[in-house]
Amino acid sequence: MTNNERVNLLKEIILCKFGEIALKGLNKSTFESVLVKNVKRRLKGHGSFEMWRAQSTLYVYPVNDDTDMDEVLDELKHVFGIVKLCRALEVEKNMESILNDPLDYLTEALEDAKTFKVDAKRADKQFPAKSPEICAELGGKILEKFPHLSVDVRNPDVTVMVEIREKYAFVHADSIDGAGGLPIGTSGRGMLLLSGGIDSPVAGYMMAKRGVQLQAIHFEAPPYTSERARLKVEKLAEEISLYCGDIAFHCVPFTDIQVALKDNCPEELFTIIMRRLMMEIAQRICEKENCSCLITGESMGQVASQTMGAIVCTDAACRIPVFRPCIGLDKSEIVEIARKIDTFDTSILPYEDCCTVFTPKHPKTRPILSDVEKAQASYDFEPMIQKAVENTRFSIIRCGEQTVNI
Ligand code: ATP
Ligand code: MG
């Protein structure tokens, strides 16, 4: 068999390096199993794969030769729990193959580099050649084939890695960044209050990154808010689902409550009471759906309803924790994440949110809780809250689907 024929038979696999999971103690295997399940779900529709775990790495091995590895890599880049990803060539576990087969494969990684080094990892300690020998010999072969390169062991442009494993050896160049975080589902379930703005999709992404399985709730106030405003929010949910997985989406009819509020409560407390009522409804849906926390896109001091005093009044209406991962971020930092996760362009589409309907001219920035409670108690919102919960519409936003056009 010629060298070229042999190279054509070689297989490319993807190595997924686990992040923080690697540091877990006794629970490590539970975290890893959830991650593998998430990866399998994510790769459905992209072919069949064999997978195995070893030393905080998941080896994803395509069964069919026609698997589109670019697509697979793109999917895996969105899976939380993976910090680094790399494509690797599987070669026979003997020195001749290790020294010859990867040379063509490495062209793409090495042609634009100036310096490189070779590292070797021998999981199979029985393999006759020791690491320094593997590195020196493959390094020599690489220098022969790519004479423009020189070796730099301290700060190379590219590190070529040889891994000697149980059945095969794998050779790869540098890895790319994965999504980081913890596997979705390892930190329980949370209900994201999703508006059409920039902040709440980012908040959802940040909590999902820490392993929270998201559901989303959106309050709409037709005819003050349009169908397009709701579609915009569904589109945002689709966009974050690329990272967060399928999202159960609850859409709450909020018009009657807002009108009653406007007619019966002091204008300057309108927003704060509205937010307390949103929290109340969201918590009732959390109970039904077994979600243990609320998540919002609030950031300290960003607007009147997000001052310390306003947040104190909002939280007083909450029986479960409210997580606000954007609380300490500046708008520009939130925008940076929104751009990274590709929600920004949708978020800035100019459709109104129910929060902007009937906004008071002079909202209280330092509301007193007892005043707020008294004002809220002056009207019986309970029947309306119950009706809003009953009439909440439910749908599922499927991971990575792009169905909404606005
Ligand atoms: P965002 O950019 O996320 O819209 P914002 O800065 O516009 O946030 P607010 O409108 O005060 O801030 O809303 C604060 C938070 O309340 C939002 O981040 C979101 O979590 C929640 N929220 C606001 N409006 C709605 C809505 N219509 N449906 C669901 N949640 C909402
Ligand atoms: Mg908003």
Side-chain angles (χ1 to χ4, degrees), residues 151 161 171 301 311 313 398:
V151 174
M161 186 80 204
V171 180
I311 289 177
C313 292
R398 299 268 168 219

Side-chain angles (χ1 to χ4, degrees), residues 12 24 67 179 187 190 194 203 222 266 286 288 297 306 348 352:
E12 197 181 31
K24 301 275 171 220
T67 307
S187 300
L194 186 60
C286 278
K288 288 189 182 183
Q306 296 171 29
I348 58 171
E352 67 296 325

Side-chain angles (χ1 to χ4, degrees), residues 193-195 197-200 219 275 296-297 302 306 353-355:
L193 281 83
L194 186 60
S195 67
I198 297 169
D199 310 328
S200 46
F219 296 84
R275 298 198 57 74
T296 78
Q302 194 187 76
Q306 296 171 29
D353 180 57
C354 75
C355 281

